[in-house]
Amino acid sequence: MEEAEALADRLAIQVKGRLRCLGSPMHIKSRYGVGYQLELRIPLKKGQPDNRLERVTEFIQKLDLGAELAEQHHGRFLLQLPKSERGMGVLGRVLTLVQKEKAAMDIDAYAVSQPTLEQVFLRFAKEQESVLES
């Protein structure tokens, strides 16, 4: 998918033999991607209990945006932020809260990004699986 995104200026995705989308990689990601993603890296401190998941859950509640924990692996937490009509104001709010909670949550690093083309493609693949099962 990375090669397709880098080299192609137009892409098409089919689901169950029907053309579902056609456009540039950026157009497909913005139209069919689901909001933004916030990745938090929180290392485990020696001698402390592992309460990182509880801290991230509290952080999600403080955001009050309807964000969801999408993935969690060895101190890496990926939050799915929903699409918003308010646009960049939401990102500003998210980044402000991350900066405010950074020391308290022991956040080592963070990043905000759009979903990748691969994630959009996987969403269409899941859609096809659900259509085939029903």
Side-chain angles (χ1 to χ4, degrees), residues 43-58:
L44 181 61
K45 302 283 184 175
K46 290 186 179 184
Q48 290 183 350
D50 189 3
N51 63 350
R52 295 176 291 182
L53 183 58
E54 290 84 16
R55 289 184 286 172
V56 170
T57 303
E58 289 174 17

Side-chain angles (χ1 to χ4, degrees), residues 34-38 79-83 87-88 91 112-115:
V34 188
Y36 287 92
Q37 295 176 331
L38 172 64
L79 282 65
Q80 184 65 50
L81 305 174
K83 268 191 174 178
M88 293 299 168
L91 288 180
V112 176
S113 61
Q114 279 188 314

